[in-house]
Amino acid sequence: MFDDPFVFFALLIAIVALIFARKAMNEVAELRRRLEEIQAMPAAASAPGPPSLTPFEAFEQTLPPASAAPTPPPIVPDVESVAPGAPSETPEQAAGETAAPPPLPQPDRGFEETVGTRWVVWIGGLTLALGGFFMVRYSIEAGLLGPGVRTMLGGLFAAALLLAGEWTRRKESVSSIAALPIANIPAILTAAGTAVAFATVYAAYALYGFLVPATAFVLLGLVALGTLAAALLHGPALAGLGVVGAFVTPILVSSDKPDFWALYIYLAIVTAAAFGLARVRLWRWLAVTTIAFALLWTFPCLQCGPSMVGPHAFHVLAGFILAALLVVCGFMFGPPADEGQVEPISSGSLAAYLLGATLIVLNGFHADAAMIVFGLLVAGSLLVAWRSDAATGAVGAAAALVFVVFAEWAVRANPDMLVLPGGSLQGIGPSATDGSVSLHLISAAIFAAGFGVAGFLAQGRFTGPVIPVIWSAAAVFTPLALLVALYARIAHLDRSIPFAILAVLLAVANAAATEILSKREGRPGLQASIALFATGTLAALALALTFALEKGWLTIALALMSAGTAWISTQRPIAFLRALAAILAGIVVLRIGYEPRIVGEAVGTTPIFNWLLWGYGIPAASFWAGSIFLRRGGDDAPLRTVEAAAILFTVLLAFMQIRHAVNQGDVYRYNAGFTEIALQVCVALAMAIGLERLRIRTGSVIHNAGAILLTVFAGLAALFGLLAWQNPLLRWMDVGGIVINLLLLGYALPAVLALLLSYAVAGRRPYANTIAAGALILALAYVTFEIRRIYHGPVLSDGQTTGAEQYTYSIAYLAFGVVLLGTGILFNSQRARLASAVVIALTILKAFLIDMSTLTGVYRALSFMCLGLVLVAIGWLYQRILFRRQAAAPIAPAAPAGG
């Protein structure tokens, strides 16, 4: 056997590694002795003490307990047993160190020391493990020994490493050597031994079939459990190896007929061992790792279907019980807990197994056994949280997962809820194995009563500022969520008086809880709990209205609930209520994004008085009222959210009503015509004027942004829609009568509104003159198109332009310019006078560029004659009226002196 160079080389490396490890141990002992002498002499010389004490004894008296010492004492039975977070020094030691001179600086670790104390240990452990692996592999490939002998040799080598690790640990315990935290020789030897043991068992099973699956499974499990037990002595690294090996073992050992009961019983034993070790050593990471692996083992086994609910349910139930017993702080055998504090590991461990139970219910199509186990875990979460503050977070998780279970049950029976443009989602249809309605009704009643009663009673049991709020939130949310899910499943979102009655009863219960809690003495968190129950009252009433009326009333109910929550926030100044009002507003916005018509095709065809008026008008009014209430509490994100929703619904109300009226009820028409664009421009300008006035009073950034966006929209729609795309000169359209026509709506009215907007923002916006210029352009367009309507009839794009028409344009432009000038003089408006100058200048350009070439005869003469007379008249007005007044002003004070 030793003739093979590969085996000889592996054994040689192992022997050399042991020699280097022994040498490193001796060097560490010598370095430890010298370091203790150097540190002990200054402390002994400066610290007062009996003269009979030796320097070592004086230094030893100044040491803190072994579990908290930053520098290991001469005898350390178990370095890794130090609890996390232990204090590094006692007050007495700190006082002694202030009196003593500072210790000598530690010399830099040299290359030789680094190699001898660390690298050799790491390489030695790795080499030993590889040597065992290679030995097993070589013996299999060469066929030198039988399977039994090979397995025995591998086991003996693993046992030798384990014995060596234990021997070195005990030797260090009775000597003055402390294991280095990152190069612990006993731990590394033990880890190498367990690795070789894993490899030996797995090779005997998988490589050449010496062991049957059951035997291999048991042996690997025993090795993993032994590794966890050894971690009590050798530290967290070995615990990590053991827990990983334990949970990976079922993957390594496969079988054509898997036994899930055996698997989950094994996992329960492993989980118990890991939780016990985590509790003894206070290793939070080990508890978290164990929970994560246990939850992951729930996923692959879910593919077996509803027929295997039993073992899966046992898995999550056993893990939940073990977590409650050993992990949850302050409950049974768990670590001590801080009163009034929610501990993440305690709450998360229960929530993880609740999630596993939820997955079993969903994958098992709500089988009775799965629902029963899920109910037991929810009840257990409430019980544990009732006894331990640390697990209160599991109450919120349980409430959320209860809603998930019932919501999935409702959606599975109503696949039309998830219909997409391309069709319904695959696999969401109802199944014959879905849980019975009666079981879910009973379960929902129990869950609602349990969360509601426990949440209310918890207000007098817990005194912290957070824990009562969690209980009250679960008490309010769970019954409401269950009621909605049952309504969707049983009533299919249609009118249902029985569900409306249930909602009213729920509102009465929440109102009674609000009244009772309002009479109690103040304590931290009480106001938040009162606000939550009051919000639950409003929500239940809103649901009652929804259940009793048509589908679209749900949108209205949520909007009214947002306004009601905002009002409650003025009575109970709690930040959560402001956020809740904003969240409800966001839900309503998402709701209309899913179906803008609110009630689908039932919106109706009557202009204005249709479902759009109620579906958008009432929420808009509710959000405006809510913003007024929220503004009393200051300007923050919830207020801005509700203000944005108010503006959005107001704009959508106007625009959707316009589309509905113009398109005979079809709000989904693919394009917009002249009338629709003109109405939208007018509405946008009118609302921009209103928001400009409103923002002066409120100073709201949302009102400011809304005004800007509406102004920009109106400008772009007028430019690209009215003047370009839907220009009546460029496309065939019937504009109507001579005076009352589409031109009045599309150009004259927008020009007036733009002019009013320019005055509303004058001095406040840098683009005020731009808006005024837009008003002038629209006005000129109206004058031009109206004249063409007179000459060409309702279709402006037909016919040729005659001389009389060209002359009329010139006269109309002159008249328009004169009217602007007169307005500017009468109201002393420089902007109107500048607009007049622009119009007159355009008229002059038209006369010289167009009239001179196109007009002939009397029309050309009259055009220039009129233009000349108007220009002279304008000059006279400027000289006699405007400039005269300006010149007379400085001379006025000199009159009394002459007298």
Side-chain angles (χ1 to χ4, degrees), residues 12 651 730 871:
L12 181 62
V651 173
L730 303 178
L871 292 177

Side-chain angles (χ1 to χ4, degrees), residues 222-306:
L222 291 176
V223 172
L225 293 176
T227 305
L228 288 174
L232 283 171
L233 302 175
H234 294 282
L238 203 60
L241 178 62
V243 74
V244 171
F247 281 100
V248 171
T249 292
I251 299 177
L252 300 178
V253 180
S254 60
S255 175
D256 296 335
K257 297 180 180 180
D259 187 349
F260 287 104
W261 280 107
L263 169 65
Y264 285 134
I265 291 174
Y266 163 78
L267 292 179
I269 296 173
V270 171
T271 302
F275 281 167
L277 178 59
R279 171 62 186 93
V280 172
R281 301 299 297 269
L282 295 180
W283 286 338
R284 296 162 58 94
W285 65 268
L286 182 58
V288 172
T289 305
T290 304
I291 294 170
F293 275 115
L295 184 61
L296 288 176
W297 265 111
T298 306
F299 290 95
C301 301
L302 292 176
Q303 305 301 322
C304 299

Side-chain angles (χ1 to χ4, degrees), residues 440-519:
H440 283 75
L441 283 175
I442 296 173
S443 301
I446 295 175
F447 285 142
F451 278 97
V453 173
F456 174 75
L457 296 178
Q459 306 309 307
R461 176 181 176 86
F462 303 100
T463 57
V466 177
I467 294 178
V469 175
I470 296 177
W471 279 99
S472 59
V476 172
F477 168 79
T478 307
L480 289 172
L482 290 174
L483 188 61
V484 172
L486 292 175
Y487 166 71
R489 171 65 187 256
I490 298 173
H492 303 285
L493 301 181
D494 291 329
R495 294 181 59 193
S496 175
I497 299 302
F499 276 101
I501 295 174
L502 290 176
V504 171
L505 294 177
L506 187 58
V508 171
N510 283 323
T514 304
E515 183 66 19
I516 294 173
L517 293 178
S518 300
K519 298 179 180 179

Side-chain angles (χ1 to χ4, degrees), residues 1 241 261 266 305 364 416 466 516 529 584 614 676 757 760 768 882 884:
M1 178 177 178
L241 178 62
W261 280 107
Y266 163 78
D416 55 309
V466 177
I516 294 173
S529 298
L584 292 172
W614 322 121
E676 182 178 349
L757 179 59
L882 293 177
R884 182 178 179 180

Side-chain angles (χ1 to χ4, degrees), residues 852-870:
M852 186 177 292
S853 61
T854 59
L855 294 181
T856 59
V858 67
Y859 289 119
R860 179 187 295 178
L862 289 175
S863 176
F864 278 88
M865 288 171 61
C866 291
L867 177 59
L869 289 174
V870 170

Side-chain angles (χ1 to χ4, degrees), residues 517-523 526:
L517 293 178
S518 300
K519 298 179 180 179
R520 293 186 179 179
E521 298 181 359
R523 57 162 179 76
L526 179 61

Side-chain angles (χ1 to χ4, degrees), residues 298-320:
T298 306
F299 290 95
C301 301
L302 292 176
Q303 305 301 322
C304 299
S307 60
M308 295 301 297
V309 169
H312 305 333
F314 168 78
H315 173 56
V316 295
L317 186 61
F320 183 90

